[in-house]
Amino acid sequence: MATPGHEPFDQLMVVEVEIGSLSTADSPRTSGVDPDHVEALAVVQTPLPPITVHRPTMRVIDGLHRLRAAELRGHRKIAVKYFDGAEDDAFVLAVESNITHGLPLSTADRKRAATRIIASHPQWSDRMIASVSGIAPGTVADLRRREPGGAAADGSRIGHDGRVRPINGAEGRRLASELIAQNPGLSLRQVARVASISPETVRDVRNRMMRGEDPVARRGRQPGGEHRVIAPRVARRPSAVPARDAAADRAAAVKRLKADPALRFSEIGRTLLRLLNIHTISMEEWDQIIDKVPPHCRGVVAYLAGESAEMWTEVAVRMQDKVAESA
């Protein structure tokens, strides 16, 4: 993901910098460095990746453990990539870097970082902040509500896709419902672009219309006066037997597709088969995967799973449209 603050970041230019000229202040890692991790890096034989430094302040953005490992080795210089953006954006980059590789930030550090990003980048959506801080969007929303003025319902925010959307999406939902009614063949993303709402919101609008419900989400009040959108309930899986049957059905369907020469002998077809094969595993296997995801990765995995679900939903709708066209 490229956040707006990443634009002045040249990842290709690497220079050697005197270690004594660098600052380690203002790190999102409040507990400091882990000595064991520093020692482990110090004995690595291959060169370590360059650290990232905020050029205006010479503050280390990413690579504090690598810096300490270089000092432990007795080095006077270290390889550096410079970031030339604002200090607030440098902090965002520091947080994002420390949840995607290396020694992960603690949950407390990620929440503290998210609170700071809410203050420095209030125009960012909850999902945008969640993606860079490694926590769930709902947690970001809770943190935002605790901030002075954080629950205000006016204005707009920048989403993860870079688009600006109103916080109060009632008008966008209304427009989306009109577009869907006039042209049911439009994709989620096409409607989302025109109505300035997310594709997921468009999907909710469409589902509500199919159920004969008001496409504008009902709103309820929470303690403290904040408003929240009441999302439709998701039916729970009643037992493991239907999940096993569904998994078997999917596996059988994919097996039939694999036998089709039109797919087997084309590059696009083989790509599609690889993608579909992922979804032949059972719910029990998914349960094992979900249980083994490290706590610090769960927010990012949840975000990616939601994005994937949204894309597959759009694929399904567009594919059904093509089925109808050829019928």
Side-chain angles (χ1 to χ4, degrees):
M1 186 208 66
T3 59
H6 290 208
E7 294 171 2
F9 186 27
D10 187 349
Q11 301 194 47
L12 299 179
M13 182 177 294
V14 178
V15 296
E16 291 282 322
V17 173
E18 292 282 347
I19 290 177
S21 66
L22 301 175
S23 167
T24 58
D26 200 27
S27 170
R29 196 182 302 278
T30 58
S31 59
V33 298
D34 183 319
D36 293 336
H37 192 54
V38 171
E39 290 182 10
L41 292 176
V43 298
V44 173
Q45 297 300 313
T46 56
L48 296 173
I51 67 174
T52 305
V53 172
H54 185 225
R55 194 197 303 265
T57 62
M58 295 302 288
R59 179 174 65 80
V60 176
I61 294 175
D62 177 41
L64 186 55
H65 286 92
R66 278 168 277 161
L67 175 66
R68 297 304 183 214
E71 291 178 322
L72 192 60
R73 288 174 172 179
H75 295 175
R76 295 179 56 192
K77 292 186 176 183
I78 190 169
V80 162
K81 293 184 298 183
Y82 279 124
F83 175 76
D84 292 304
E87 287 192 55
D88 287 339
D89 292 333
F91 181 79
V92 171
L93 180 57
V95 175
E96 185 178 17
S97 299
N98 280 281
I99 66 166
T100 55
H101 62 257
L103 192 66
L105 294 174
S106 68
T107 301
D109 279 345
R110 282 181 275 129
K111 286 184 177 180
R112 276 190 288 267
T115 300
R116 176 168 167 177
I117 296 171
I118 289 169
S120 64
H121 296 74
Q123 73 279 18
W124 283 7
S125 70
D126 294 340
R127 291 181 69 191
M128 169 77 103
I129 295 175
S131 70
V132 299
S133 58
I135 59 178
T139 303
V140 176
D142 289 340
L143 294 172
R144 194 191 294 269
R145 281 194 289 268
R146 297 173 193 170
E147 295 296 297
D154 296 327
S156 58
R157 291 187 187 145
I158 300 173
H160 188 269
D161 58 3
R163 292 183 62 83
V164 178
R165 297 186 177 91
I167 297 172
N168 184 347
E171 180 60 24
R173 283 174 168 270
R174 186 196 60 76
L175 177 57
S177 67
E178 292 179 358
L179 291 169
I180 294 171
Q182 294 168 4
N183 193 342
L186 290 175
S187 71
L188 296 177
R189 295 186 183 277
Q190 287 173 321
V191 176
R193 280 195 293 270
V194 177
S196 294
I197 56 178
S198 70
E200 180 62 25
T201 302
V202 176
R203 183 163 68 91
D204 181 61
V205 168
R206 187 179 61 196
N207 289 342
R208 286 173 176 274
M209 293 173 66
M210 292 174 64
R211 296 193 299 265
E213 299 175 3
D214 186 344
V216 178
R218 295 165 297 161
R219 293 185 177 272
R221 294 192 72 83
Q222 291 181 332
E226 302 92 350
H227 286 76
R228 65 185 177 90
V229 172
I230 303 177
R233 291 186 177 182
V234 178
R236 290 185 175 273
R237 176 165 47 100
S239 69
V241 175
R244 282 197 294 269
D245 291 343
D249 290 343
R250 291 195 300 271
V254 172
K255 185 177 180 180
R256 290 195 298 272
L257 290 175
K258 286 181 177 179
D260 191 324
L263 295 177
R264 287 172 54 196
F265 301 120
S266 72
E267 184 176 347
I268 293 296
R270 289 191 295 270
T271 299
L272 175 62
L273 292 173
R274 285 194 295 270
L275 291 171
L276 292 173
N277 194 60
I278 296 172
H279 302 287
T280 62
I281 67 175
S282 68
M283 196 62 222
E284 286 75 15
E285 292 174 289
W286 277 118
D287 287 341
Q288 294 175 10
I289 293 171
I290 292 168
D291 290 342
K292 296 298 183 182
V293 175
H296 64 276
C297 297
R298 289 171 185 167
V300 178
V301 172
Y303 160 73
L304 292 173
E307 288 288 299
S308 299
E310 179 183 309
M311 287 188 290
W312 275 114
T313 298
E314 182 171 352
V315 169
V317 171
R318 295 173 66 180
M319 196 62 65
Q320 287 288 356
D321 289 344
K322 288 187 178 296
V323 170
E325 289 173 3
S326 59

Short mmCIF file of all heavy atoms in Angstrom, two decimals, residues 6 16 19 89 218 270 284 295 319:
data_model
loop_
_atom_site.label_atom_id
_atom_site.label_comp_id
_atom_site.label_asym_id
_atom_site.label_seq_id
_atom_site.Cartn_x
_atom_site.Cartn_y
_atom_site.Cartn_z
N HIS A 6 4.15 8.65 1.32
CA HIS A 6 5.26 7.88 0.81
C HIS A 6 5.81 8.41 -0.51
O HIS A 6 6.79 7.90 -1.02
CB HIS A 6 4.82 6.42 0.60
CG HIS A 6 4.58 5.69 1.89
ND1 HIS A 6 4.73 4.33 2.00
CD2 HIS A 6 4.22 6.13 3.10
CE1 HIS A 6 4.45 3.96 3.23
NE2 HIS A 6 4.13 5.04 3.91
N GLU A 16 25.92 5.69 2.19
CA GLU A 16 26.59 5.36 3.46
C GLU A 16 26.57 6.61 4.35
O GLU A 16 26.95 7.70 3.91
CB GLU A 16 28.02 4.92 3.20
CG GLU A 16 28.15 3.57 2.51
CD GLU A 16 27.94 2.41 3.47
OE1 GLU A 16 28.39 2.52 4.62
OE2 GLU A 16 27.33 1.40 3.07
N ILE A 19 27.11 6.75 11.51
CA ILE A 19 26.15 6.35 12.53
C ILE A 19 25.95 7.45 13.57
O ILE A 19 24.83 7.68 14.05
CB ILE A 19 26.60 5.03 13.20
CG1 ILE A 19 26.46 3.87 12.20
CG2 ILE A 19 25.80 4.75 14.47
CD1 ILE A 19 26.94 2.53 12.72
N ASP A 89 4.32 12.19 8.43
CA ASP A 89 4.34 11.09 7.47
C ASP A 89 5.49 10.13 7.74
O ASP A 89 5.38 8.93 7.48
CB ASP A 89 4.45 11.64 6.04
CG ASP A 89 3.19 12.39 5.61
OD1 ASP A 89 2.11 12.06 6.13
OD2 ASP A 89 3.31 13.30 4.77
N ARG A 218 -29.74 1.65 8.29
CA ARG A 218 -30.35 2.13 9.52
C ARG A 218 -29.25 2.58 10.47
O ARG A 218 -28.15 2.06 10.47
CB ARG A 218 -31.14 1.00 10.18
CG ARG A 218 -32.32 0.53 9.37
CD ARG A 218 -32.80 -0.79 9.90
NE ARG A 218 -31.77 -1.82 9.75
CZ ARG A 218 -31.77 -2.95 10.44
NH1 ARG A 218 -32.69 -3.18 11.33
NH2 ARG A 218 -30.81 -3.83 10.23
N ARG A 270 -4.96 -21.11 -16.70
CA ARG A 270 -4.18 -21.72 -15.60
C ARG A 270 -4.12 -20.79 -14.40
O ARG A 270 -4.15 -21.25 -13.25
CB ARG A 270 -2.78 -22.08 -16.09
CG ARG A 270 -2.75 -23.26 -17.06
CD ARG A 270 -1.34 -23.74 -17.30
NE ARG A 270 -0.53 -22.75 -17.97
CZ ARG A 270 -0.42 -22.65 -19.30
NH1 ARG A 270 -1.11 -23.47 -20.08
NH2 ARG A 270 0.35 -21.73 -19.85
N GLU A 284 -12.65 -26.40 8.23
CA GLU A 284 -11.78 -26.87 9.31
C GLU A 284 -10.32 -26.45 9.05
O GLU A 284 -9.61 -26.05 9.97
CB GLU A 284 -11.86 -28.40 9.44
CG GLU A 284 -13.15 -28.91 10.08
CD GLU A 284 -14.33 -28.82 9.11
OE1 GLU A 284 -14.10 -28.63 7.90
OE2 GLU A 284 -15.48 -28.93 9.58
N PRO A 295 -0.95 -12.72 16.52
CA PRO A 295 -1.83 -11.61 16.92
C PRO A 295 -1.51 -10.30 16.21
O PRO A 295 -2.43 -9.57 15.84
CB PRO A 295 -1.60 -11.50 18.44
CG PRO A 295 -1.21 -12.89 18.85
CD PRO A 295 -0.39 -13.43 17.70
N MET A 319 -19.51 -12.22 -13.69
CA MET A 319 -19.57 -13.50 -14.39
C MET A 319 -21.02 -13.93 -14.60
O MET A 319 -21.38 -14.45 -15.66
CB MET A 319 -18.81 -14.56 -13.59
CG MET A 319 -18.47 -15.81 -14.38
SD MET A 319 -17.39 -15.48 -15.80
CE MET A 319 -15.91 -14.92 -14.97
#
